[in-house]
Amino acid sequence: TDFYFIFIPGETYEIINFITGPGLGNRYKVNSFNIDLIPIDNDLISMERDGSFKQIYVDNDITTLADLVDSFIKLELCFGKIKNKYIKGERAKLFCDLLSKKEIETNIKTTDEILGMIVLDRNVDFLTPMTSNFTYEGLFDDHFGIKWGNVKVEKAYIKTNLREKEKTQKEFYSLTSDSNPFFSRIRCMNYLDANRYMIDLKQYYVEMAQKSQKTKDLKDMQKIISSYNDFLTHYKIPLEINNKFLTKFIDENYKDDNIIYRQKEGIFLSGAIPDNLKLFYDDYITDKKDLLKLLNLFIIETLTQGGVKDYNALKRDILNIYGYQNIFLFRDLEAIGLIKEKAVLKKLTETSYQQIVSKLNLISTDIDYKKTKVKDCSYIYQGYCPIILRLIELAVQGKWNKFKDIITKLPGETLYPEDESEITKPKSDEQKVHTIFVVFIGGICYNEIEGIRFINRNLKLISEKNNDKNGRIQLIIVTNEILNRKRIFNSLGMKFNQAFSFKKLRLDIEKEEGKEKK
């Protein structure tokens, strides 16, 4: 009897080697069912290939990159070859090179249906996935882990009149635009703004109800009743559900430890160094607090200050207290360059984080967070604009050439159209919406997704204000997977554990084979 192993979304050489290794002959067959790009939302397409980050940056395995090319070429078969390309990063360049070869093989013709594409390598901005979430949807991902546009939560959050034993049972709750239109209204907001919006909305309908008791005009009464029925139909239940979630997020964010942590993080992002940092690290390690959170701050210090001061001593203390199994996690973080010892002397030619902050204007101090209609992307991170979001903004404004001195100093190659006006001024007046694909190689986090949605909203507002007859620009996100810092850490330092599990699988196969012989 032949046995078939079918892997979704694909197999690896390591798996094949263990299953069809020496002594097993050709009895066990390995096949795969490849999954292409999946529409998670109307502006987000992902392969949902877990572990892509580690495969690309730790294992130097470009399999998922090649799979993304194969999937993307199917988009071009529908819409035509994309002419205008902004490229930043080595793997972004490799993606475009592989794509060009596929385009030649399939003889795809260039059209103007897709305005352009922006291809960005994750290592251009490793910092953003490590920073705290402040958007409503970002906090959902932090606390519950969004997968395929859904979260699995306790029924007590989304239903009422439950028995006590039913409250802790879990159920899927959809966060996509089509299935949850109310959530799509507030997901880009800072969580405190989302809370204020909900309070104001509820107060508005309370005032309407009070007004209905005083009015004597029949037409006014009909308008008020119609408005209140709209509230009961579309807003009452979503307000109750989202109020429960926001209460949880606000309570968690205002714990003393989280406030202190975010203060340290904010100082690093501004380009400065927090006071008494060594004492903070020592106390944190002594109290055996969350290790991944500590490593997260190490990464932020490395990426903003060029390394962690006294890193080797801190690493030794961590391994002594948290366990030596974490040495594999350190190995992977160091291999990517996410953590390293701070050099005593810095090369004069090296571009510092402070220069990037200054020239790309990443820090804004004049944002009124009580207003949801602010224009700058730094709103998403309470005053800090991620490097990648600024690059996207500059691309849709046709300004990469203007900022080329600083953009070229970021990691990896830099390529952009000779005539950037082709991006900013679409020629076709037949299309109301002109699409630009934003391709993230190595994953994207939900705060960045919300940042791109924020840019989309601003582009729409500008187009409406200028009464642009040529239509507006719409950004569509394409990626290998959706990341957060927990998923990044969970994927690292796992090679030996995986090898053990594959060996166990091989032993189980041999054991079953022995039983059949008997």
Side-chain angles (χ1 to χ4, degrees):
T1 304
D2 288 338
F3 290 90
Y4 288 85
F5 291 87
I6 300 174
F7 291 91
I8 302 173
E11 80 283 4
T12 64
Y13 173 79
E14 192 175 30
I15 292 172
I16 297 170
N17 189 42
F18 273 103
I19 294 175
T20 63
L24 296 179
N26 296 320
R27 187 173 182 186
Y28 302 98
K29 311 293 183 183
V30 178
N31 288 318
S32 63
F33 183 81
N34 294 319
I35 295 177
D36 290 324
L37 288 163
I38 301 161
I40 305 299
D41 213 321
N42 52 24
D43 57 359
L44 174 62
I45 311 170
S46 173
M47 291 190 74
E48 290 299 89
R49 190 69 62 87
D50 292 343
S52 294
F53 180 87
K54 180 178 183 293
Q55 284 182 350
I56 294 172
Y57 296 105
V58 179
D59 303 333
N60 292 315
D61 182 351
I62 64 166
T63 304
T64 56
L65 190 62
D67 290 343
L68 184 60
V69 169
D70 289 339
S71 296
F72 198 85
I73 206 74
K74 292 175 184 177
L75 289 176
E76 290 196 319
L77 284 168
C78 296
F79 302 110
K81 181 181 173 182
I82 299 169
K83 179 183 175 183
N84 301 309
K85 294 176 183 175
Y86 284 81
I87 302 167
K88 184 60 193 173
E90 297 296 335
R91 292 163 188 84
K93 175 66 165 54
L94 178 59
F95 169 84
C96 291
D97 289 344
L98 292 172
L99 186 64
S100 295
K101 289 180 181 178
K102 285 279 183 180
E103 288 168 348
I104 293 168
E105 289 172 10
T106 49
N107 195 27
I108 298 175
K109 295 181 179 179
T110 304
T111 68
D112 293 325
E113 192 161 351
I114 303 298
L115 185 59
M117 64 191 293
I118 305 166
V119 188
L120 300 166
D121 196 329
R122 178 73 271 169
N123 76 346
V124 172
D125 183 6
F126 276 142
L127 183 60
T128 306
M130 299 299 168
T131 52
S132 295
N133 280 306
F134 294 104
T135 63
Y136 189 33
E137 187 166 28
L139 288 169
F140 259 96
D141 193 43
D142 259 1
H143 287 81
F144 301 109
I146 302 172
K147 195 68 179 171
W148 307 87
N150 296 279
V151 286
K152 200 171 186 180
V153 297
E154 293 178 353
K155 284 185 179 179
Y157 283 108
I158 54 179
K159 291 188 177 177
T160 55
N161 303 321
L162 294 171
R163 297 174 188 173
E164 198 61 38
K165 65 178 181 179
E166 291 177 323
K167 290 180 180 179
T168 55
Q169 293 175 359
K170 293 195 174 181
E171 189 172 299
F172 283 105
Y173 180 62
S174 178
L175 303 177
T176 60
S177 302
D178 294 334
S179 60
N180 199 337
F182 181 82
F183 177 78
S184 67
R185 282 183 168 194
I186 60 175
R187 62 188 177 187
C188 292
M189 292 184 187
N190 180 287
Y191 70 103
L192 295 177
D193 281 344
N195 190 49
R196 278 190 286 267
Y197 170 81
M198 287 169 54
I199 291 170
D200 292 344
L201 187 64
K202 191 174 182 179
Q203 183 60 32
Y204 169 78
Y205 284 105
V206 168
E207 290 173 2
M208 290 287 283
Q210 292 171 349
K211 190 177 178 181
S212 68
Q213 296 174 1
K214 297 178 182 179
T215 187
K216 294 180 180 179
D217 187 278
L218 184 59
K219 288 185 178 179
D220 286 347
M221 180 69 77
Q222 287 174 337
K223 286 180 182 179
I224 291 168
I225 291 171
S226 174
S227 178
Y228 198 71
N229 285 337
D230 183 59
F231 167 73
L232 293 175
T233 305
H234 299 108
Y235 296 107
K236 186 175 184 294
I237 294 174
L239 279 171
E240 289 174 356
I241 291 172
N242 286 282
N243 184 60
K244 293 176 186 176
F245 287 123
L246 272 166
T247 301
K248 175 182 174 62
F249 299 156
I250 292 169
D251 289 346
E252 186 68 26
N253 279 356
Y254 277 87
K255 287 181 179 178
D256 289 343
D257 283 352
N258 290 333
I259 291 172
I260 294 168
Y261 178 87
R262 288 201 308 274
Q263 286 173 346
K264 305 286 184 193
E265 180 186 300
I267 293 169
F268 276 134
L269 292 176
S270 70
I273 302 174
D275 295 330
N276 304 316
L277 187 61
K278 181 66 166 61
L279 180 63
F280 172 79
Y281 284 152
D282 289 340
D283 289 345
Y284 200 102
I285 294 168
T286 304
D287 294 340
K288 286 189 176 182
K289 293 182 181 178
D290 185 356
L291 173 61
L292 297 187
K293 213 166 181 180
L294 176 63
L295 294 178
N296 196 85
L297 203 57
F298 281 2
I299 292 170
I300 293 172
E301 183 179 358
T302 298
L303 297 175
T304 58
Q305 297 298 319
V308 178
K309 191 177 180 181
D310 302 320
Y311 168 61
N312 289 323
L314 289 167
K315 177 181 174 181
R316 184 179 62 246
D317 292 341
I318 289 170
L319 292 176
N320 282 330
I321 291 175
Y322 290 89
Y324 276 84
Q325 73 278 4
N326 293 300
I327 197 167
F328 303 122
L329 181 55
F330 277 105
R331 174 205 62 194
D332 286 350
L333 291 170
E334 290 166 3
I336 306 170
L338 291 178
I339 298 181
K340 63 181 178 181
E341 178 88 22
K342 187 171 185 177
V344 178
L345 294 173
K346 208 171 186 180
K347 294 179 182 177
L348 294 175
T349 55
E350 189 176 338
T351 304
S352 69
Y353 172 77
Q354 288 82 359
Q355 287 176 297
I356 295 168
V357 167
S358 175
K359 292 187 178 182
L360 291 179
N361 191 26
L362 300 185
I363 303 295
S364 297
T365 57
D366 59 347
I367 290 179
D368 184 356
Y369 295 104
K370 292 182 181 179
K371 296 179 181 178
T372 56
K373 290 187 178 180
V374 289
K375 295 180 181 179
D376 195 84
C377 273
S378 54
Y379 166 81
I380 298 295
Y381 281 87
Q382 290 195 338
Y384 168 74
C385 179
I387 295 168
I388 270 184
L389 291 184
R390 188 64 85 211
L391 292 179
I392 294 168
E393 270 191 331
L394 293 174
V396 295
Q397 294 166 6
K399 291 183 179 179
W400 270 34
N401 187 56
K402 186 178 178 181
F403 287 84
K404 67 178 179 181
D405 290 345
I406 190 65
I407 293 175
T408 52
K409 290 179 180 177
L410 294 171
E413 292 194 48
T414 306
L415 297 168
Y416 54 89
E418 289 183 14
D419 184 5
E420 291 189 86
S421 65
E422 291 187 9
I423 285 283
T424 57
K425 297 177 182 177
K427 294 177 182 178
S428 172
D429 56 358
E430 297 177 1
Q431 292 176 248
K432 291 184 178 179
V433 178
H434 301 275
T435 300
I436 296 177
F437 286 119
V438 184
V439 184
F440 279 77
I441 306 300
I444 184 175
C445 62
Y446 268 101
N447 264 6
E448 290 169 329
I449 292 170
E450 297 312 329
I452 292 170
R453 285 170 175 160
F454 187 85
I455 294 171
N456 270 334
R457 192 196 71 175
N458 284 341
L459 290 169
K460 185 178 180 181
L461 291 172
I462 292 167
S463 178
E464 290 173 352
K465 184 179 178 181
N466 297 335
N467 194 23
D468 197 339
K469 294 179 181 179
N470 288 333
R472 66 180 178 87
I473 294 171
Q474 169 78 22
L475 302 176
I476 303 291
I477 303 161
V478 180
T479 187
N480 307 86
E481 66 173 325
I482 299 171
L483 293 171
N484 60 31
R485 47 192 176 186
K486 288 180 184 175
R487 292 191 189 108
I488 290 173
F489 282 124
N490 288 339
S491 70
L492 301 178
M494 296 294 288
K495 187 173 182 180
F496 290 93
N497 290 336
Q498 287 175 348
F500 172 78
S501 65
F502 289 137
K503 286 177 183 177
K504 186 175 182 301
L505 174 63
R506 179 70 186 280
L507 289 170
D508 290 342
I509 291 171
E510 290 174 352
K511 189 176 179 181
E512 289 299 318
E513 188 179 41
K515 284 181 181 178
E516 287 183 11
K517 285 180 179 179
K518 288 181 182 179

